[in-house]
Amino acid sequence: MGGFLLFAAALILAATGAGLVALRRASSPVDGMMGVQLLGSGSVAVLILLSVALAQDALVDAALTVAVLAAFAVAALHAARRPRRAASPPEAEGP
């Protein structure tokens, strides 16, 4: 069973790498966010499979940490991509 899980982890890692290479060719900011999300979800899947295959519970904690960091990274990229509104000058008070 452990060998099958290690093989599945290697396949997911290869698929994630191939997806990142394909996303690297695209240059839009949305593609960058998708790349971060792909890297995060692929990493979580590999870490969970390795955790079960190697009987290392600490890898589950690492997977959860990567999932949270990937979500924050996508939120940060989205916030950096939005145009900022210019502050309007205060209106002059009438008499």
Side-chain angles (χ1 to χ4, degrees):
M1 177 82 159
F4 173 74
L5 294 176
L6 291 175
F7 179 71
L11 278 178
I12 291 173
L13 190 63
T16 302
L20 288 176
V21 168
L23 282 174
R24 181 74 178 140
R25 294 182 183 157
S27 61
S28 76
V30 174
D31 292 335
M33 287 193 303
M34 290 301 296
V36 169
Q37 197 64 29
L38 174 66
L39 184 61
S41 60
S43 299
V44 167
V46 168
L47 286 171
I48 293 294
L49 286 170
L50 288 177
S51 170
V52 174
L54 303 175
Q56 294 288 326
D57 293 337
L59 290 176
V60 174
D61 296 335
L64 292 173
T65 303
V66 167
V68 170
L69 288 176
F72 279 127
V74 169
L77 285 172
H78 180 67
R81 192 175 80 90
R82 287 193 328 197
R84 298 185 184 259
R85 295 181 191 172
S88 59
E91 295 182 20
E93 292 184 20

